Amino acid sequence: MPATLMNERDLEFMLYELFDSEALTSRARYQDHDRQTFNEVVTTAKAIAEKYFLPIRQKLDTHQPTFDGKKVHIIPELKTAIDAVNESGIGAATADYDLGGMQLPPIIASAAASFLSVAGGVGMGYNMLTTANANLLQAHGSQELINTWVKPMREGRFMGTMAMTEPGSGSALGDLITKAVKSDDGTYRITGNKIYISGGDHDLSENIVHLVLARIQGAPKGVKGISLFVVPKFLLNEDGSVGEDNEVALAGLFHKMGGRAQTSTALSFGEKNGSIGYLVGEEHCGLKYMFHMMNEARIMVGTSGAVLAVAGYQYSVDYAKNRPQGRLPSCKDPQSPMVNIIEHADVKRMLLAQKAYAEGAMALVLYGTQLSDDERTADTSEQREHAHTLLDFLTPIIKTWPSEYGPKANSYAIQVMGGHGYINEHPVEMFYRDNRLNPIHEGTTGIQSLDLITRKVPMNKMQGYKATLHEIVQTIEQAKQYDSLSEYTQKLSEAVETLTLTTEAVLNGMATKNIDLALANSVKYLELFGHVIIAWLWLKQSMVATKALAQQPHQADEFFYKGKLQASQYFYRFELPKIAVWSSLLMSTDSTSFDMQADWF
């Protein structure tokens, strides 16, 4: 069976028909580029994915990193593949020219990286975290920190991490106890332990630059007392070369269900004299700075959920088109030829569900990626502020909806392929295992739901909430010019009304009832809001497809656009109606989960 990565036609649709990425070349930052250079970058990424990553994908999954007590060992082919990415420039695709970057729009870089992510079994996670680390330092670090650490990371010589989680506090960052003591020379001595640090140790680069959250001695308790530090694995000599060890010790490797190409580590800082750390920005502002990287990482997590869903969908479609089995119920002749399983209605249902989830999620993460660009490079301050408002509000949904529905899509891919989907001769079971981490890291689904309803919805007099609904209503009005989409405009209008009433009820419950009870079903609120957002993006895709079909395209494109409309219909008829049930539970402040007692389990 041919190896299937991303759907290139669908990426082209997303980039140029849905989001009009070519128009970005009018911005000063991207004026050196055009559609041809954008396509060349995507083509190069695909070639690297197929040449270096795809042949070792299964090996990366079956040969987990090992620790011999002194050093981490990863199969050497991964370093060769990552070096190829860095040598091509794609590893620093969005970075400034003067820091060794290609100064590409993030949406193009994301499309290119999707091939590498699918082929590499999350091996590209090292590069992605490094980019986010460097972006944080460039935004909030001193010029000295930028000069010292960012350029080597952009070049791929150093790699970066973020070190937040501790054994005793987990996601409750306000309880972290890693300590920082200021030295006479202005540096800090860092002592403490961190766990689940992705890429925390490996042999893929000369140095590893950890961004560590710690509490300066005497700092207030809670999140207001947290500061952020650069703590490298190795200190640097005066000439910038890698020097002596900085007391960052690997305490252990975690062995994972999926995502095995990227190390997950327990790290110990400063067991003897303290690891030397360099303060980023101001004291006690660390969490604010780290949110720059966390929010970027949350878009990365959502993107991972989406691209793995797309990959599983593509693979199971290809399988279904070529796997003969059984006959349709209408056929009574046992001597007749078997049909390919794609002809069976239930297989079509599962493929449609995958398509609706995967391509809806892909539209969402690319939209988020474009907003992250717009807030920095859009033409006017009003446009930049509007993009910031939308992105800040939507980030919990961008992270969570694809990470929840991506694994659902992968589960359907396994089901479509039956027993063949469950064995590791095919990659769909690996896609599911890799994807299953996404609802957990960078803020679990529960944490994201609380962030959405308690912070993002009410903040700034509900500015982000109102801006988002305004965008949806605008799309509904635009779609009304297409009579064939009237079913969707009506259903989405009703969904917005349901969302509005539900939001009012939940906010009122938070103000008047036991807050723990009022928030007991917060995950269903996020899921409801997420479904409305995905329905909105499917309406946008439907408008593009309807307009394109009116131009009588050639057959391949005709089939492509009709597939878009059918997936949209599936989402509106099979998925969007679910919000009525969720709304009912939320508006009644259902107490089923809240009332359950620990002793009853």
Side-chain angles (χ1 to χ4, degrees), residues 48-49 51-63 73-85 119-120 123 126 203-204 261:
I48 293 172
K51 181 177 180 180
Y52 293 99
F53 283 100
L54 197 57
I56 65 170
R57 180 167 66 183
Q58 188 173 33
K59 188 174 182 181
L60 286 169
D61 183 52
T62 56
H63 292 67
H73 299 278
I74 300 174
I75 63 168
E77 296 96 323
L78 180 58
K79 178 170 172 53
T80 301
I82 289 176
D83 286 347
V85 173
Y126 297 98
D203 55 1
L204 301 171

Side-chain angles (χ1 to χ4, degrees), residues 15 21 35 51 63-64 79 120 144 151 202 219 229 291 324 327 332 360 388 393 412 431 470 501 539 564 579 591:
L15 293 178
S21 299
R35 182 165 174 166
K51 181 177 180 180
H63 292 67
Q64 296 195 50
K79 178 170 172 53
E144 182 180 2
K151 190 167 185 179
H202 51 75
F229 302 88
F291 265 111
R327 296 160 186 84
K332 306 302 182 183
H388 172 77
F393 179 80
Y412 275 133
F431 294 154
H470 179 72
L501 294 173
L539 182 58
K564 282 289 182 186
I579 71 170
S591 64

Side-chain angles (χ1 to χ4, degrees), residues 135-191:
N135 289 345
L136 183 153
L137 287 177
Q138 202 167 335
H140 302 291
S142 66
Q143 193 59 51
E144 182 180 2
L145 288 178
I146 294 171
N147 292 341
T148 303
W149 305 109
V150 172
K151 190 167 185 179
M153 285 196 283
R154 299 296 194 197
E155 293 171 347
R157 293 192 297 112
F158 295 179
M159 287 185 176
T161 77
M162 56 174 166
M164 299 186 295
T165 305
E166 296 184 1
S169 59
S171 298
L173 295 177
D175 295 322
L176 67 80
I177 59 174
T178 295
K179 185 170 67 174
V181 178
K182 193 170 185 177
S183 302
D184 292 338
D185 62 1
T187 62
Y188 292 76
R189 295 287 178 167
I190 311 297
T191 55

Side-chain angles (χ1 to χ4, degrees), residues 197-218:
I197 309 307
S198 297
D201 204 352
H202 51 75
D203 55 1
L204 301 171
S205 61
E206 298 174 26
N207 204 350
I208 303 174
V209 182
H210 302 288
L211 286 176
V212 179
L213 289 178
R215 200 178 301 279
I216 295 173
Q217 196 170 35

Side-chain angles (χ1 to χ4, degrees), residues 458-518:
M459 72 187 297
N460 298 326
K461 299 180 180 179
M462 302 182 74
Q463 182 183 17
Y465 171 83
K466 292 175 181 177
T468 299
L469 293 194
H470 179 72
E471 292 289 320
I472 297 173
V473 170
Q474 274 193 318
T475 300
I476 291 171
E477 291 304 312
Q478 293 165 1
K480 286 180 178 178
Q481 64 181 297
Y482 303 103
D483 292 340
S484 61
L485 301 180
S486 60
E487 174 187 348
Y488 309 147
T489 58
Q490 178 64 30
K491 287 185 175 180
L492 186 54
S493 296
E494 293 169 357
V496 169
E497 179 65 18
T498 298
L499 174 60
T500 301
L501 294 173
T502 306
T503 302
E504 292 172 356
V506 173
L507 292 177
N508 181 64
M510 290 166 56
T512 62
K513 300 178 182 178
N514 180 319
I515 189 66
D516 296 326
L517 170 60

